[in-house]
Amino acid sequence: MAIVDCAHYRDGVRQHEGPLDVDRAAAAARGDGDFVWLGLFEPSDDEMSSVAEAFDLPELAVEDAEHAHQRPKLEDYERSFFVVLRSARYDDDAEEVEFGEIHLFIGGRYVIAVRHGEASDLGPARARLEERPDLLRLGPAAAAWAIVDKVVDDYAPVVEGLEVDIEEVEQEI
């Protein structure tokens, strides 16, 4: 399974060590006041189907999440939201920008992040949020905020790298 991490939170606190499997996560997401943050990295179609079935995700959004190359968007479904973010990372050695995508399923008791590409590793966002139980108590909205904040923050080094490249070209000219 392409699970990077899967955590069950209650009252702002992670309820276990290590990632949960999909079925246990879906069961935990049904608890009152609980929510689950599931992170996937480039899941196969079968893995995505398993997650979609366990969490009853919208079929059209799942089709989008199975494949990269979506445009950034926010779609409002009856009981959830689907968000596509474009992430970026500057590779100093190659002097290139690498792009990725993060597809978010946001429901009342879960956030499922599906990453495509290496840009915007979400581990630091999760760690930072877990240090703030006051924010985690807000549920899936807090996890969605942490993810979006990480993606936006990751653009700063990209801009800096491009500025250095431009300065180097200007000096050569």
Side-chain angles (χ1 to χ4, degrees):
M1 180 60 85
I3 295 177
V4 175
D5 199 355
C6 181
H8 166 216
Y9 299 98
R10 178 180 297 138
D11 296 323
V13 178
R14 188 174 182 141
Q15 298 299 299
H16 56 87
E17 292 295 322
L20 295 174
D21 64 48
V22 172
D23 292 329
R24 284 184 57 209
R30 293 182 189 99
D32 191 32
D34 295 9
F35 84 97
V36 168
W37 179 353
L38 170 62
L40 302 168
F41 180 73
E42 297 181 352
S44 69
D45 289 350
D46 288 342
E47 291 167 334
M48 197 64 227
S49 293
S50 172
V51 171
E53 184 178 327
F55 285 88
D56 192 27
L57 301 178
E59 185 178 338
L60 292 174
V62 171
E63 288 176 14
D64 285 351
E66 287 176 335
H67 309 286
H69 309 298
Q70 300 295 316
R71 61 181 166 70
K73 61 184 171 180
L74 167 66
E75 294 179 342
D76 183 357
Y77 288 89
E78 213 171 283
R79 296 171 287 125
S80 64
F81 293 95
F82 178 65
V83 178
V84 176
L85 304 170
R86 295 286 298 181
S87 55
R89 179 176 77 157
Y90 187 77
D91 181 343
D92 279 321
D93 295 332
E95 294 185 339
E96 294 179 351
V97 179
E98 296 175 357
F99 293 98
E101 290 179 30
I102 300 175
H103 301 202
L104 299 178
F105 295 89
I106 306 166
R109 302 210 186 278
Y110 62 83
V111 171
I112 299 169
V114 180
R115 274 192 323 126
H116 293 278
E118 295 295 329
S120 288
D121 173 21
L122 298 178
R126 185 187 298 268
R128 192 173 115 210
L129 190 59
E130 287 181 352
E131 292 174 359
R132 298 282 313 269
D134 58 317
L135 289 177
L136 264 174
R137 281 187 193 93
L138 299 175
W145 167 81
I147 293 166
V148 172
D149 188 59
K150 173 76 167 91
V151 169
V152 170
D153 286 351
D154 284 351
Y155 276 104
V158 171
V159 171
E160 290 170 16
L162 291 173
E163 286 175 348
V164 168
D165 291 348
I166 290 168
E167 289 173 14
E168 289 172 356
V169 169
E170 286 175 346
Q171 288 175 356
E172 286 181 26
I173 291 177

